[in-house]
Amino acid sequence: MFKNVIIAVLAAACVFLAVSLYAGSGFRSGEEISPAEYGGLLNLKNVFPAAEYRERVQPLLREAFVDGRVTRERLRILGEKLNDVGACTLKTLEGEPAGEKVSRAWDSAKDSAAALGESLGRHVDEAMRELGDAVEGLKPRGNAGQSGRSGGSVDL
């Protein structure tokens, strides 16, 4: 008999706990999501490709932000509609971050610019030497002490 009373009390406690959890989740479904969850919504922009984000995700987000805030229930519905978030997140995590791509492109551009500057400098130096040699070739080959004048007059 004592065992039956304990079993009945435990069963009642389990029922009370289940009702309490169900009532608590019903109350929480109208509650606004946390700042961290808003950050997760913001990061959806990085998870999906740009075209898919504009065409598919943005309209769903507009539905969730009905009155300028998102409730737990609307977040749950959004999660059901975006059932491939996990696969897209994994793909993004395994891929190369955009910052690294930009950094690598910047480094490559700097190296290319340095090589271009070095090459251009060599070509300008070579052209200046050739120009100097050409100017030297145009000078008259006369007496070093003579100027272009003879007796103070100019020859025409």
Side-chain angles (χ1 to χ4, degrees):
M1 166 125 154
F2 184 69
K3 289 181 184 180
N4 291 339
V5 172
I6 291 178
I7 290 173
V9 170
L10 287 175
C14 287
V15 168
F16 177 74
L17 181 62
V19 168
S20 174
L21 287 176
Y22 179 74
S25 69
F27 173 71
R28 289 184 47 157
S29 68
E31 184 179 284
E32 186 174 9
I33 63 174
S34 71
E37 290 166 319
Y38 277 116
L41 291 176
L42 179 64
N43 213 20
L44 287 174
K45 198 172 213 172
N46 297 331
V47 172
F48 289 94
E52 184 178 357
Y53 179 80
R54 276 191 312 275
E55 295 169 6
R56 183 172 153 233
V57 178
Q58 269 187 340
L60 295 174
L61 285 172
R62 282 192 189 99
E63 287 177 21
F65 276 92
V66 173
D67 54 355
R69 66 187 194 103
V70 178
T71 61
R72 299 215 173 273
E73 179 62 23
R74 285 185 254 166
L75 185 64
R76 184 189 60 76
I77 293 169
L78 177 68
E80 290 173 359
K81 290 180 179 178
L82 293 176
N83 54 4
D84 59 342
V85 172
C88 290
T89 302
L90 180 62
K91 182 179 173 184
T92 301
L93 289 172
E94 289 175 343
E96 184 178 21
E100 287 182 20
K101 289 179 185 177
V102 170
S103 177
R104 193 175 61 247
W106 180 256
D107 290 344
S108 175
K110 283 192 324 186
D111 293 344
S112 297
L116 175 65
E118 187 178 318
S119 174
L120 184 60
R122 280 194 308 267
H123 287 296
V124 168
D125 286 345
E126 185 178 315
M128 293 304 286
R129 269 188 244 109
E130 289 176 6
L131 181 61
D133 292 345
V135 168
E136 286 293 322
L138 292 176
K139 286 185 178 176
R141 304 247 185 237
N143 235 343
Q146 269 188 341
S147 65
R149 298 179 180 192
S150 58
S153 64
V154 177
D155 293 335
L156 295 176

